[in-house]
Amino acid sequence: MNNLTMEEIVNYAKQYGFIFQGSEIYGGLANSWDYGPLGTLLKENIRNAWKQKFVQENKYNYGLDAAIIMNPKVWVASGHVASFADPLIDCKKCKARHRADKLIEDFTKGEVTADGWSNEEIENYISKNNIVCPVCGKLDYTPIRKFNLLFETSIGVTDDTKNTVYLRGETAQGIFTNFKNVERSMRAKVPFGIAQTGKAFRNEITPGNFIFRTREFEQMELEFFCKPGTDLEWFGYWKNYCMDFLRTLGLDSEKLRMRDHSKEELAFYSKATTDIEYLFPMGWGELWGIADRTDYDLGVHQEASSQDLRYLDPETNEKYLPYVIEPSVGLDRLLLAILSNSYTLEEVGENDTRVVLKINPALAPVKVTILPLIKKVHGEKATEIYSELCRKFSASYDEAGSIGKRYRRADAVGTPLCVTVDDNTINNGTVTIRNRDTMEQETIKIEELEDYIVKITTL
Ligand code: GAP
């Protein structure tokens, strides 16, 4: 296991074209990040893996892509306008601004979480435990104020409060508001789920830790509708399903753990919540939240919209509001977990090391790279092979530098297979294929290449 620092990951991500600082040529914008060519591919592969597992391979679920800007009544009904807020505290001495619950979480190294605590409880805990300002070391805070996380913008040409809308704070609400549409159009029978991926926006007080907590991020959420009474069984089903998925993606089991929310921590509408946490370079942090949200969401939307959102059970003729199990994961956070889990500095021989991204081949940004042994002699044949393969796979072509250096470049970005084109390719129609992890080489026929790559890179 590498003892990787966040700084190493940030540098690596920048150097190899995964993630750059946002607006960098203007000095950046705090905590905004841009995905580079390889980061874009990696993100897409993770998103597709999630869609494959949660929609394509799961007989219960359907996909959706709802609008980011919704009728503001949605956010009033959901409770976000009134209470989607973090407890904000200022240090009177140095004026540093903190999220009060985060102070406790950091102080106890994640052992105590203040989710669901009242302001008074948080303030008492901070003063009793002498949790000083991490910037100046003083214990002199303002009282806690609630800070709403929704980003506001306006629609239309006039700057009128009537036109205020919100950038969605979670993708989930677009699912709840489409529950009936999906049920009717797909003739869906409860239990069924609706899954979507997309951007969410939160005016976080303390973003940070690279892409772990940002103001603009992507979520992958499933809202699974089930009959009340069966909810806890489904809650268990989805917890295991998510954990299996993370292991399939290649995250180390010893860096994953489940943490059940205590009664005090639970949101008032939630019957049970479990976080899957990952051991990030800065410590354990929430990766995936899985919650039994009861019939709260459909209930509030039913009431506010005056639409009947109940489900009519065709077998029993019973009408009820389904309960919802919600597994919700941040795509950027998952990408950070995958990058940190895969980045390896490996000794190869005496006084020699290589950077290798030991990522699940199905997620690798580039699946195969084509290398002519000698550019002038083998370039044409290599280009021909590359042109065929890039129609099916994300492939690259590299003819610069020694073959050893080219292998290293491919290893560093996690390319699982290198195909070397040499005299044998021209004379016998064979290529040498090298495996990123074992560094072993095999000779295969050109016609076998496609199947070989599919076999190695399928999830
Ligand atoms: N619909 C439920 C919901 O949004 P959440 O726990 O607030 O629940 C779900 O968010 C997941 O979204 C988190 O587990 C995390 O992976 C990701 N997430 C939340 N806030 C984030 C932020 N500011 N930056 C990056 N990812 C975030």
Side-chain angles (χ1 to χ4, degrees), residues 84 169-172 202 204 211-215 217-219 221 223 286-289 293 326 328-333:
F84 189 45
E170 58 175 16
T171 61
R202 296 182 187 176
E204 296 279 2
I211 52 169
F212 180 82
R213 190 184 308 284
T214 49
R215 295 196 171 98
F217 56 98
E218 194 162 333
Q219 288 188 312
E221 299 200 283
E223 307 301 325
E286 176 188 332
L287 174 60
W288 207 322
R293 298 177 64 98
E326 176 195 68
S328 170
V329 62
L331 173 50
D332 312 79
R333 222 174 254 194

Side-chain angles (χ1 to χ4, degrees), residues 46-64 192-197 220-224 237-246 248-249 276 288-290 325-329 334 459:
I46 299 172
R47 193 190 295 113
N48 286 340
W50 182 87
K51 282 186 183 166
Q52 183 184 325
K53 180 81 175 173
F54 282 79
V55 184
Q56 189 178 315
E57 287 179 17
N58 191 289
K59 63 179 180 182
Y60 298 108
N61 297 341
Y62 302 91
L64 183 79
F192 72 92
I194 307 177
Q196 83 165 325
T197 68
M220 305 193 288
E221 299 200 283
L222 169 71
E223 307 301 325
F224 187 78
Y237 170 91
W238 286 111
K239 281 199 313 190
N240 292 334
Y241 200 88
C242 296
M243 196 53 129
D244 281 352
F245 176 64
L246 292 174
T248 308
L249 294 188
I276 298 180
W288 207 322
I290 301 134
I325 308 300
E326 176 195 68
S328 170
V329 62
L334 181 53
L459 198 61

Side-chain angles (χ1 to χ4, degrees), residues 161-175:
T161 48
K162 273 195 225 127
N163 299 321
T164 298
V165 289
Y166 305 98
L167 299 186
R168 67 181 174 199
E170 58 175 16
T171 61
Q173 297 305 323
I175 296 180

Side-chain angles (χ1 to χ4, degrees), residues 10 26 106 114 192 222 276 306 317 358 361 398 410 423:
V10 175
Y26 287 99
D106 293 346
F192 72 92
L222 169 71
I276 298 180
S306 307
N317 261 345
K358 292 201 166 176
D398 189 359
D423 285 347

Side-chain angles (χ1 to χ4, degrees), residues 9 32 95 98 163 168 178 253 264 300 306 409 420 447:
I9 270 293
S32 95
K95 311 287 179 227
H98 306 286
N163 299 321
R168 67 181 174 199
N178 277 295
S253 289
E264 299 75 50
V300 293
S306 307
R409 275 202 291 270
T420 306
E447 308 85 79

Side-chain angles (χ1 to χ4, degrees), residues 52 360-363 367 393 451-459:
Q52 183 184 325
N360 184 321
L363 301 181
K367 304 292 185 239
F393 309 99
D451 285 348
Y452 193 103
I453 302 167
V454 169
K455 199 167 151 214
I456 299 275
T457 62
T458 302
L459 198 61

